[in-house]
Amino acid sequence: MTRSARLAGIGSFLPSCLVPNAQLAARMDTSDEWIRTRTGIRQRYFAEPGTTTSDLAAEAGARAMKSAGLAEVDAVVLATTTPDRPCPATAPVVAAKLGLAGRPAFDVQAVCTGFVYALATACGLLAMGCVDTVLVIGAETFSTILNPADRATSVIFGDGAGAMVLRSGQAAGNGAVGNGAVGPFDLGSDGTGQDLITVRAGGAEQRRSGSAPAPGDEYFSMAGREVFRQAVEHMAQSARAVLGQVGWQAGDIDWLACHQANLRILVRLADVLGIPEARVLANIAEVGNTSAASIPLAIDQAYRAGRFKAGDRLLLSAFGGGLTWGSTVLTWPDLTHP
Ligand code: UT7
């Protein structure tokens, strides 16, 4: 028997400021129709002034701990691209807000793949016996890095947070046996694509250049069409790799729980993998693309809507800046604290 990671609780949190497409169309050259047909998004939520990523993360984390029936956890891993500050990491702040000061806490930066990377990191901590419980959070305030002059990105992203509590368990063989089991993982990156999804200013590269940032470089930018193509390709390849590791076929998957980048990407990916559209979790219409928060947010909303039964097999896959990609599988547990 080897130590494995099991899902023990889940939660999510959305900020209160609802932004429908029409509100964006009133201040930039876009339309509700363009946004809906090209992305599937109808609305998103933005954090109100004064609310930061750590606030959203702490709320989602508290809900996940409540769902797990735990008042404390041994470690906090936070996936985010919008930390409260460039330095230090935001996870220790989240831990302190949750009354967990003193516990290990650190950030993982893999943009929209962040939650899958953070889950893998947490599984490693559990497998090594470093800790017995980990709070894994994906949280973003992407509204703070969107360029108001860039309609191509401003209409896509939203703020939010999702979290899972993992606890150690025993697993035989490939680790994916039994309700609640998380893993194995397939992870990858290709830094030659760093310009496709980026914030150019504010890091060592720009500061060392000796030049002031060019206008707009402090904001997030994305080469949408090329990213779309690579997202489908890499997520399909990665999802197949993890299915191969665990010995499952596409037909064994009850739910495709992917990063909510674009509804057209979700539909295309399901088609490529041979998974019926009815098994695709999609909440992008209501929340937009919430980057590292999107997978736990989509899973938590589906869970609270009563869509899962114990033993359901979920395939998680994500693609994002870096470039990065990753996939894993999760067998739905019997959660006793809904
Ligand atoms: O989450 C991390 C990973 N991210 C992704 O996977 C996102 C992947 N990419 C996408 O989802 C899509 O590429 C976008 C939604 C970003 C863009 O959709 P698209 O169908 O690829 O559009 P496009 O960039 O090829 O642009 C088509 C047209 C252009 O006009 P012209 O050149 O054809 O005249 C754009 O200027 O649509 C225009 N356009 C807009 N029009 C109205 C771009 N953004 C908008 C907008 N409203 N908001």
Side-chain angles (χ1 to χ4, degrees):
M1 298 290 261
T2 54
R3 283 171 65 91
S4 73
R6 277 165 198 280
L7 178 65
I10 185 163
S12 63
F13 182 73
L14 288 165
S16 59
C17 183
L18 174 79
V19 181
N21 289 346
Q23 195 170 318
L24 297 177
R27 69 169 167 80
M28 64 177 71
D29 182 18
T30 188
S31 65
D32 173 52
E33 206 252 334
W34 191 96
I35 302 169
R36 271 190 294 105
T37 53
R38 306 297 272 214
T39 70
I41 299 167
R42 286 193 282 111
Q43 60 178 46
R44 74 288 295 141
Y45 294 82
F46 286 166
E48 43 294 314
T51 299
T52 63
T53 295
S54 66
D55 295 321
L56 306 186
E59 282 290 345
R63 291 176 185 197
M65 285 164 61
K66 186 171 177 214
S67 149
L70 292 176
E72 49 186 48
V73 290
D74 296 339
V76 177
V77 183
L78 171 67
T80 188
T81 304
T82 47
D84 287 4
R85 300 179 185 177
C87 172
T90 303
V93 178
V94 175
K97 285 182 177 175
L98 290 169
L100 299 169
R103 314 293 158 89
F106 57 94
D107 290 3
V108 169
Q109 218 301 33
V111 197
C112 299
T113 317
F115 192 76
V116 177
Y117 268 62
L119 269 185
T121 306
C123 287
L125 291 172
L126 291 165
M128 289 299 291
C130 299
V131 292
D132 287 321
T133 52
V134 187
L135 176 60
V136 187
I137 310 173
E140 304 281 15
T141 48
F142 243 74
S143 59
T144 61
I145 58 170
L146 293 175
N147 184 344
D150 180 9
R151 64 180 180 173
T153 51
S154 286
V155 303
I156 297 174
F157 291 90
D159 301 342
M164 292 182 182
V165 172
L166 301 188
R167 76 185 322 158
S168 60
Q170 298 294 318
N174 59 19
V177 182
N179 293 355
V182 183
F185 288 82
D186 174 78
L187 304 172
S189 80
D190 178 6
T192 65
Q194 74 166 340
D195 288 342
L196 296 177
I197 297 174
T198 191
V199 177
R200 286 176 196 278
E205 181 189 51
Q206 176 260 310
R207 285 165 193 264
R208 270 278 177 267
S209 73
S211 316
D217 275 5
E218 70 274 33
Y219 291 119
F220 178 88
S221 72
M222 177 170 75
R225 202 176 292 188
E226 176 59 14
V227 169
F228 190 113
R229 190 187 65 75
Q230 293 216 33
V232 175
E233 192 179 300
H234 282 294
M235 281 199 283
Q237 215 166 50
S238 177
R240 284 196 185 110
V242 92
L243 288 180
Q245 284 183 58
V246 78
W248 295 352
Q249 309 293 317
D252 296 324
I253 298 302
D254 295 296
W255 301 102
L256 183 61
C258 288
H259 168 50
Q260 309 281 306
N262 184 320
L263 188 61
R264 291 187 294 137
I265 291 180
L266 293 176
V267 169
R268 185 90 56 91
L269 181 65
D271 186 47
V272 169
L273 291 173
I275 294 174
E277 239 182 275
R279 295 194 193 159
V280 177
L281 290 187
N283 68 343
I284 188 168
E286 289 80 38
V287 302
N289 178 342
T290 58
S291 189
S294 85
I295 288 180
L297 192 49
I299 294 177
D300 184 53
Q301 289 188 342
Y303 161 59
R304 280 164 207 280
R307 299 184 72 184
F308 304 146
K309 60 181 185 320
D312 275 2
R313 291 173 166 186
L314 278 68
L315 172 59
L316 283 57
S317 191
F319 176 84
L323 302 170
T324 54
W325 54 88
S327 303
T328 190
V329 289
L330 159 62
T331 305
W332 196 254
D334 310 274
L335 289 182
T336 50
H337 298 269

